Amino acid sequence: MPKKNSAGAKKKVPFGAILLALIAVGACAIAGYTWYELKHVKTQIAGGEEVKPEVVNQPPVYMPLETFTVSLKPTDEDADRVLYIGLTLRLKDEESRELLAEFLPEIRSRLLVLLSQQTADNLATDAGKTSLVGQIKEVLNKPIDNRSAAVADVLYNAFILR
């Protein structure tokens, strides 16, 4: 007669069988993930999309300029107004700084012409100062010797209207 287990006794599953099952499940998960990623890369290549590497944020490149003292465009009310302005340029890369440094006399000339066309009434407002930043960026981003500088922003260091 076969021996019966005591009431309620369960069969013990060997530890090796549990370990083997966990390894098999892990291997299937890794295989599935690898298949998914390879399929995704093949789709991008077939679709003509390039896989772009992540761009590492580089520290900003600044270029301070010497201060400008400029006579402003006369108006009917004010005939003799002067602007004293200090600027620092935030550039997108080191190559832009090298280009601007190489052509600094031309850059300063462009800025002097632009600043001398401004009126005191316009520069006295916040909107006028913001507009001037846009105009400076536009003037500085124009090509120099068939190359362009990448000026990201213009920062005021000093701004005095007299």
Side-chain angles (χ1 to χ4, degrees), residues 27-161:
C28 288
I30 291 171
Y33 177 75
T34 303
W35 174 79
Y36 172 77
E37 286 297 318
L38 287 175
K39 184 177 178 184
H40 182 68
V41 168
K42 286 180 183 178
T43 304
Q44 285 181 340
I45 291 171
E49 296 178 25
E50 293 183 21
V51 179
K52 296 180 181 177
E54 291 184 27
V55 176
V56 179
N57 287 340
Q58 297 176 352
V61 178
Y62 293 105
M63 180 177 181
L65 299 175
E66 292 181 28
T67 56
F68 294 87
T69 304
V70 181
S71 295
L72 296 174
K73 187 176 181 181
T75 61
D76 293 336
E77 300 166 2
D78 296 322
D80 191 23
R81 297 295 300 260
V82 174
L83 173 65
Y84 176 82
I85 186 170
L87 301 172
T88 296
L89 307 176
R90 187 172 66 206
L91 308 171
K92 294 195 178 183
D93 52 25
E94 188 64 34
E95 294 160 1
S96 294
R97 182 196 324 225
E98 292 169 4
L99 177 65
L100 291 176
E102 182 180 349
F103 292 95
L104 191 58
E106 187 173 338
I107 295 302
R108 288 189 58 83
S109 175
R110 287 182 183 184
L111 289 173
L112 283 170
V113 169
L114 174 68
L115 294 171
S116 66
Q117 294 171 353
Q118 305 300 313
T119 62
D121 294 337
N122 186 28
L123 294 177
T125 65
D126 288 339
K129 291 173 186 151
T130 305
S131 172
L132 181 60
V133 167
Q135 292 173 11
I136 291 171
K137 284 171 44 176
E138 183 180 326
V139 164
L140 295 181
N141 284 327
K142 287 182 181 176
I144 306 169
D145 195 36
N146 294 327
R147 297 182 290 176
S148 292
V151 177
D153 201 4
V154 177
L155 309 168
Y156 292 123
N157 296 338
F159 197 97
I160 302 172
L161 276 173

Side-chain angles (χ1 to χ4, degrees), residues 3-13:
K3 293 184 182 179
K4 292 185 178 179
N5 291 341
S6 57
K10 295 181 180 178
K11 289 186 175 181
K12 291 185 178 182
V13 179

